[in-house]
Amino acid sequence: MKLLFELSGEHPDLPAAELECVGTVLDRRAQVAVAECPEPKAAGRLALTHAVMEYLGECEPTRAAFEDLLRDLAITTEKPFVGRGKMIQGSRMDIERLDLERLIGTLIAGPVSLRDPVEEYRAVVSEDRCYFGRVIQKIDRGAFEARNPMRRPFFHPGVMMPRMARALVNISLVRPGERVFDPFCGTGGILLEAREIGVRILGSDFDPAMVDGYRQNLPGSDVMIADATAVPICDGALDSVVTDLPYGQSVRIHGDSMDRLYDGSLAEIRRILRPGRRAVVVTHRDITGIAARHFTVLQEHEQRVHKSLTRRILVLG
């Protein structure tokens, strides 16, 4: 099924990259993408998307072109509906958002209900295109806020927020029922998000205090104290690896240097990962050269967290 996605503006590339876990991206503009998705319900796992729509069409960003699109679609519905418009910054539509919404209400045959609609039709204008779809799912961003790290039984400063953790799990392309491993699991934030979408999880950490905290946050989940450069896991046993590598001497590290730790842990990730599957690793500096010794670097992303921390995200295969 061809779907239209209204994406978060939190990052220029990660929201579209995340869509690979549910389908093949066919087209994209700022904060919008079109993808072919074999299982539309799977889109509920996304973190950096606002709304998922059945793709109905697209046109030039003009009133005349949008009127022609709606007339060609000739949509008729018996369900109360509402028309919504979204103008992405930098879009070039020649009418205002409210006029766009009035056109939807006028040119779709059916009962309009602004108060209690059953269906929502939405136009999203981005750059040089106007996309149109019927909303089939909205991502519950409040659920991520409910899993804020400060609300967990065990909290440690500097952990990743749930939406970003979920996005990284999704970018790894792990599927429900498969197993993901985090060799620097800390308090378990990444694996908590993986568990939420039905993925089997396994964590390890060299710091016993972190493992104890993990057990408080994810009781009953598999976790072990282990050196990330020598984990007791068979070759090719895991479907994906997603991890936030240690950033400095504020964490307990088993190794003579950070570079040696990174090299050894990436070599071990390569060993335990199934052929053809992905690892997603995050660190505070560019380790592309180290990663390239063991993997093909498929994607590189940067996310500025605050003035003293920029996350560097590598997708490896």
Side-chain angles (χ1 to χ4, degrees), residues 2-317:
K2 199 172 182 180
L3 299 182
L4 173 64
F5 298 84
E6 183 186 330
L7 305 176
S8 161
E10 296 168 71
H11 191 278
D13 301 312
L14 288 173
E18 185 189 22
L19 296 182
E20 285 189 71
C21 73
V22 295
T24 302
V25 175
L26 305 174
D27 184 26
R28 60 172 291 199
R29 299 287 192 282
Q31 290 181 237
V32 64
V34 178
E36 187 65 40
C37 302
E39 298 179 21
K41 289 183 179 179
R45 68 185 282 178
L46 298 172
L48 303 181
T49 289
H50 290 304
V52 183
M53 293 161 270
E54 176 189 3
Y55 173 90
L56 297 178
E58 62 185 88
C59 63
E60 299 294 320
T62 66
R63 180 190 184 107
F66 189 60
E67 287 181 347
D68 287 345
L69 174 63
L70 288 177
R71 289 194 176 98
D72 289 343
L73 289 170
I75 298 169
T76 299
T77 179
E78 296 180 355
K79 299 175 182 178
F81 76 93
V82 66
R84 299 294 186 204
K86 178 69 177 288
M87 304 288 197
I88 306 299
Q89 186 175 6
S91 61
R92 300 191 287 272
M93 194 75 179
D94 64 357
I95 58 173
E96 299 297 321
R97 177 180 60 82
L98 290 177
D99 293 325
L100 198 64
E101 293 176 351
R102 290 189 191 101
L103 284 175
I104 298 171
T106 301
L107 295 176
I108 290 179
V112 175
S113 174
L114 301 181
R115 269 191 153 177
D116 193 23
V118 175
E119 292 186 325
E120 178 181 327
Y121 293 88
R122 186 176 298 198
V124 183
V125 187
S126 179
E127 300 178 34
D128 60 345
R129 299 300 286 169
C130 176
Y131 298 90
F132 186 62
R134 181 179 63 87
V135 175
I136 58 175
Q137 190 168 11
K138 294 181 180 179
I139 303 302
D140 181 9
R141 294 170 73 85
F144 292 101
E145 298 303 326
R147 294 192 296 277
N148 187 296
M150 295 185 69
R151 297 180 179 176
R152 297 172 193 160
F154 183 88
F155 171 72
H156 188 270
V159 297
M160 190 179 295
M161 297 302 288
R163 280 203 302 272
M164 181 54 60
R166 172 70 66 83
L168 298 182
V169 170
N170 286 335
I171 289 170
S172 80
L173 304 186
V174 67
R175 295 182 287 268
E178 294 183 335
R179 187 178 287 276
V180 63
F181 174 55
D182 182 352
F184 298 97
C185 66
T187 62
I190 289 174
L191 295 180
L192 174 60
E193 290 305 313
R195 189 178 69 174
E196 286 289 317
I197 58 173
V199 175
R200 298 162 60 212
I201 61 175
L202 172 64
S204 74
D205 202 285
F206 187 67
D207 188 343
M210 290 297 102
V211 172
D212 287 344
Y214 176 102
R215 290 190 173 116
Q216 293 178 49
N217 290 339
L218 290 92
S221 298
D222 294 334
V223 65
M224 56 189 169
I225 298 172
D227 179 350
T229 66
V231 292
I233 297 173
C234 296
D235 294 1
L238 299 172
D239 301 298
S240 75
V241 174
V242 183
T243 193
D244 191 5
L245 298 176
Y247 290 178
Q249 299 306 320
S250 61
V251 294
R252 288 193 55 174
I253 296 171
H254 183 59
D256 298 334
S257 69
M258 294 301 293
D259 281 359
R260 186 170 298 178
L261 175 68
Y262 293 159
D263 187 70
S265 59
L266 287 170
E268 193 70 340
I269 290 170
R270 172 75 284 172
R271 180 185 68 79
I272 62 180
L273 191 64
R274 283 175 52 200
R277 302 307 297 267
R278 284 184 176 183
V280 179
V281 300
V282 183
T283 189
H284 70 301
R285 64 182 180 85
D286 185 3
I287 62 163
T288 306
I290 298 173
R293 297 173 194 164
H294 309 286
F295 288 93
T296 299
V297 179
L298 304 176
Q299 298 174 28
E300 299 178 60
H301 306 281
E302 288 190 359
Q303 183 208 25
R304 189 174 186 274
V305 180
H306 48 71
K307 63 181 181 181
S308 61
L309 175 60
T310 296
R311 286 195 183 106
R312 288 175 169 82
I313 301 162
L314 294 179
V315 183
L316 309 173

